[in-house]
């Protein structure tokens, strides 16, 4: 049966710049010199690979860049999690999101993506650096309310949700109304997050200790439905209606 194809969120990535120690994914034991690369996504995904489960149904190229979509589930079934004090709402079925990876690894370096986020509460727009062992440095953009820009980092060997996350308001219009350029600059000593070239957060290796992300990582960009688990749905300002 065909799942009804409903676009509930739009994300156009105008361009993305990776400037790093870029290592071919086929051989991450080698560390060739830094290579700079740039993708506009207006008519191709060259140099990127769809995550398993993501299909061409969930994206299209446009003059503004790549448009990502969530396919709605056959029905939205609202449930309440009675194991939480607030009986938090969530959806029985999640929409099918879209994720794609860069094909080169970087171990330290700078990455920027120019993004307009989805505007549907419960949908999460993610621009992240992720290593095969789970080390992660990210921006995740939420729809609805205030403090919709989250920055975070995780140590793959022991993921602790919430501990290293920060939230903030966008510099001007909401993230779903305006393109902003989100940058992660990562060195062995510190991680700096920027929006439109303005530093908004800095974490040092000294502060993070052993939990500092250090494994070779790839850029991953995605749009996902955060409605399926009550705590996640609440964080994501959802569940999606
Ligand atoms: C990977 O790197 C090693 C060490 O430099 C080299 O011997 C090997 O040929 C490389 N493999 C590929 C597939 O490039
Ligand atoms: C909580 O939800 C579960 C699953 O829906 C249900 O079996 C259980 O009876 C509920 N408990 C209460 C106290 O409502
Ligand atoms: C995308 O990156 C993640 C994190 O490293 C990895 O688990 C996944 O296998 C990658 N998928 C593809 C298709 O390369």
């Amino acid at each position: 049966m065909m799942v009804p194809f409903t676009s509930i969120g739009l994300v156009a990535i105008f361009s993305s710049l990776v400037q790093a120690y870029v290592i071919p994914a086929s051989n991450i034991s080698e560390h060739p010199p830094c290579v700079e690369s740039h993708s506009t996504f207006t008519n191709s995904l060259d140099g990127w690979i769809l995550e398993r489960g993501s299909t061409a149904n969930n994206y299209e190229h446009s003059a503004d860049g790549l448009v990502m979509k969530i396919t709605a589930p056959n029905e939205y079934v609202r449930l309440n999690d009675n194991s939480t004090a607030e009986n938090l709402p969530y959806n029985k079925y999640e929409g099918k999101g879209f994720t794609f990876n860069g094909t080169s690894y970087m171990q330290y370096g700078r990455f920027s993506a120019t993004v307009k986020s989805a505007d549907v509460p419960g949908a999460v727009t993610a621009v992240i650096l992720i290593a095969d062992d789970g080390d992660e440095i990210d921006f995740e953009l939420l729809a609805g309310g205030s403090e919709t820009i989250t920055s975070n980092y995780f140590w793959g060997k022991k993921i602790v949700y919430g501990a290293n996350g920060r939230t903030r308001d966008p510099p001007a219009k909401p993230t779903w109304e305006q393109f902003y350029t989100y940058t992660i600059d990562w060195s062995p000593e510190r991680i700096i997050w920027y929006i439109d070239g303005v530093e908004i957060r800095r974490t040092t290796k000294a502060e993070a200790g052993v939990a500092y992300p250090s494994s070779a990582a790839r850029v991953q960009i995605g749009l996902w439905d955060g409605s399926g688990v009550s705590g996640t749905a609440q964080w994501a300002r959802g569940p999606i209606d």
Side-chain angles (χ1 to χ4, degrees):
M1 197 181 100
M2 279 291 291
V3 176
F5 186 73
T6 314
S7 164
I8 59 149
L10 295 183
V11 179
I13 295 148
F14 180 63
S15 68
S16 117
L17 177 67
V18 180
Q19 206 178 6
Y21 303 92
V22 175
I23 308 162
S26 60
N27 195 348
I28 74 168
S29 61
E30 272 193 343
H31 284 230
C34 172
V35 177
E36 192 172 308
S37 86
H38 183 250
S39 304
T40 62
F41 300 122
T42 48
N43 50 36
S44 103
L45 267 177
D46 287 355
W48 299 79
I49 182 170
L50 300 196
E51 182 59 299
R52 282 169 289 279
S54 293
T55 70
N57 287 337
N58 284 39
Y59 76 91
E60 63 191 38
H61 298 286
S62 79
D64 279 343
L66 191 79
V67 181
M68 303 193 286
K69 302 172 184 181
I70 292 175
T71 305
N74 287 334
E75 53 175 335
Y76 283 109
V77 178
R78 180 60 48 84
L79 298 174
N80 288 85
D81 183 355
N82 64 14
S83 73
T84 62
E86 308 91 331
N87 259 343
L88 292 177
Y90 66 104
N91 287 344
K92 185 170 182 185
Y93 307 111
E94 278 181 2
K96 198 169 153 307
F98 177 76
T99 299
F100 64 109
N101 285 354
T103 50
S104 294
Y105 287 84
M106 55 190 266
Q107 193 168 29
Y108 309 116
R110 172 185 278 247
F111 156 68
S112 297
T114 302
V115 177
K116 195 188 276 184
S117 71
D119 64 356
V120 175
V124 181
T125 306
V127 176
I128 80 182
L129 277 173
I130 185 156
D132 292 345
D133 67 4
D135 277 9
E136 175 176 336
I137 308 169
D138 69 31
F139 274 107
E140 291 193 292
L141 309 174
L142 310 176
S146 62
E147 302 202 355
T148 54
I149 298 177
T150 74
S151 59
N152 215 337
Y153 69 90
F154 298 100
W155 182 45
K157 291 187 183 63
K158 190 174 174 213
I159 304 261
V160 182
Y161 291 103
N164 303 317
R166 299 282 182 278
T167 60
R168 57 166 294 122
D169 287 327
K173 285 187 189 165
T175 58
W176 53 91
E177 286 179 14
Q178 182 176 327
F179 282 104
Y180 291 106
T181 296
Y182 301 89
T183 298
I184 292 167
D185 192 319
W186 174 40
S187 81
E189 293 81 35
R190 87 283 175 284
I191 303 162
I192 308 174
W193 289 259
Y194 297 87
I195 299 174
D196 284 353
V198 176
E199 178 175 331
I200 58 128
R201 180 177 176 192
R202 178 182 291 244
T203 293
T204 64
K205 162 82 179 154
E207 285 159 12
V210 68
Y212 193 78
S214 60
S215 301
R218 280 181 281 178
V219 175
Q220 186 179 77
I221 295 171
L223 174 64
W224 53 281
D225 179 354
S227 306
V229 174
S230 64
T232 308
Q234 187 190 38
W235 167 78
R237 317 283 159 90
I240 291 177
D241 277 322

